[in-house]
């Protein structure tokens, strides 16, 4: 992270000095004196807009309540992310990162709530997921200076969700046409998310003077692509 040169050295930032455990490549208050990371904040709101579209589609198709709640949590992730990047305060960092954990746990439950997933398995899996979410919350609340806990916990959930979604796509559809559609949506979501992840990693490693690539905010690209990938995945589950 480069030193902020957009404010006088004696001026306090509008939201106070950052307390978050992470800062990103985008220069603080470079666009607006009221928004710490402008482009990262704006791209976060894109996630919330996708959630509203997803909620409309879920209600239109009268799918299970689980997916409607998933869209609501996705919207909260976008809102929490906007508050986090707009202020870089640790309180709002939690509103960004914890809904990511809860939302992915709920996505997993939606995938497991099917006739092909045994009642016995659900009986043990649901309490485990609840304990996982609680344990992750407690660790993050008591270890605010180490973002690795959240990153590992989130990555483990995403990998599990990918494998479960792949199983559904390739084995559950009775119709060959439906199977092809699900597989296409699955791989589109995965590839979109992977490109977003590459953007995230690239920014963390190659940031210089506010950019990893000149005039491109890669963390904002991460928001756009992972939000889009999640939206595509929701369509995959709705089918």
């Amino acid at each position: 992270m480069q030193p902020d040169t957009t404010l006088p050295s004696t001026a306090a930032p509008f939201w106070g000095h950052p307390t978050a455990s992470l800062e990103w490549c985008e220069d603080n208050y470079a666009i607006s004196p009221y928004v710490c990371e402008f482009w990262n904040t704006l791209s976060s709101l894109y996630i919330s807009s996708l959630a509203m579209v997803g909620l409309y589609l879920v209600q239109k198709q009268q799918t299970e309540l689980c997916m409607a709640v998933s869209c609501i949590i996705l919207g909260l992730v976008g809102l929490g992310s906007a508050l986090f990047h707009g202020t870089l305060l640790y309180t709002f960092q939690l509103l960004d990162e914890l809904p990511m954990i809860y939302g992915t746990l709920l996505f997993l439950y939606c995938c497991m709530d099917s006739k092909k997933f045994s009642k016995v398995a659900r009986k043990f899996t649901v309490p485990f997921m609840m304990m996982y979410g609680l344990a992750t919350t407690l660790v993050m609340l008591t270890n605010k200076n180490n973002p690795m806990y959240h990153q590992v916990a989130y990555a483990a959930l995403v990998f599990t969700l990918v494998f479960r979604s792949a199983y559904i796509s390739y084995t559950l559809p009775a119709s060959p046409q439906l199977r092809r559609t699900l597989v296409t949506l699955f791989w589109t979501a995965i590839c979109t998310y992977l490109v977003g992840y590459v953007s995230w990693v690239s920014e963390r490693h190659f940031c210089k003077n506010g950019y990893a690539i000149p005039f491109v905010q890669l963390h904002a690209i991460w928001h756009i692509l992972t939000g889009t990938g999640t939206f595509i995945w929701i369509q995959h589950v709705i089918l």
Side-chain angles (χ1 to χ4, degrees):
M1 183 70 198
Q2 301 298 315
D4 182 15
T5 58
T6 59
L7 293 173
S9 59
T10 56
F14 181 79
W15 295 102
H17 295 288
T19 59
S21 62
L22 286 169
E23 282 199 55
W24 307 97
C25 192
E26 182 178 355
D27 286 333
N28 296 349
Y29 298 101
I31 303 296
S32 168
Y34 307 108
V35 181
C36 192
E37 296 177 345
F38 182 84
W39 297 112
N40 289 344
T41 301
L42 188 63
S43 58
S44 298
L45 295 176
Y46 168 77
I47 299 175
S48 295
S49 69
L50 287 178
M52 290 188 287
V53 175
L55 187 60
Y56 168 76
L57 293 176
V58 166
Q59 293 178 330
K60 183 178 181 180
Q61 299 184 31
Q62 298 183 341
T63 55
E64 297 177 357
L65 177 62
C66 180
M67 291 312 303
V69 178
S70 296
C71 290
I72 293 173
I73 292 184
L74 179 62
L76 293 177
V77 169
L79 179 60
S81 180
L83 291 171
F84 168 40
H85 289 288
T87 65
L88 284 186
L89 299 179
Y90 186 70
T91 300
F92 293 128
Q93 181 179 346
L94 291 176
L95 291 181
D96 173 23
E97 295 178 343
L98 287 177
M100 291 172 65
I101 299 294
Y102 304 151
T104 310
L105 284 169
L106 184 59
F107 290 162
L108 271 173
Y109 174 79
C110 293
C111 285
M112 294 174 178
D113 188 22
S114 67
K115 295 179 180 179
K116 296 291 184 180
F117 199 80
S118 69
K119 292 182 179 180
V120 175
R122 284 201 298 270
K123 181 179 180 180
F124 291 99
T125 301
V126 172
F128 173 79
M129 291 195 304
M130 294 178 65
M131 288 188 293
Y132 189 98
L134 177 61
T136 302
T137 301
L138 292 176
V139 169
M140 291 178 62
L141 288 175
T142 55
N143 295 273
K144 64 169 291 186
N145 294 321
N146 191 346
M148 186 61 66
Y149 292 110
H150 169 262
Q151 293 168 11
V152 171
Y154 180 65
L157 290 176
V158 169
F159 277 116
T160 305
L161 181 61
V162 167
F163 286 118
R164 177 61 184 171
S165 298
Y167 173 80
I168 291 174
S169 300
Y170 282 96
T171 64
L172 294 190
S175 164
Q177 182 178 359
L178 178 58
R179 182 179 296 111
R180 285 193 297 270
T181 301
L182 289 181
V183 169
T184 299
L185 287 172
F186 169 76
W187 282 110
T188 302
I190 292 297
C191 291
T192 304
Y193 210 98
L194 281 176
V195 175
Y197 176 72
V198 170
S199 300
W200 185 89
V201 172
S202 297
E203 190 204 57
R204 299 300 293 171
H205 284 83
F206 302 112
C207 176
K208 185 177 181 180
N209 298 324
Y211 300 95
I213 298 175
F215 309 111
V216 177
Q217 293 296 340
L218 289 182
H219 195 77
I221 299 298
W222 149 264
H223 287 160
I224 293 170
L225 292 179
T226 53
T228 302
T230 303
F231 178 80
I232 295 171
W233 180 86
I234 289 175
Q235 308 314 305
H236 162 273
V237 175
I238 289 176
L239 293 178

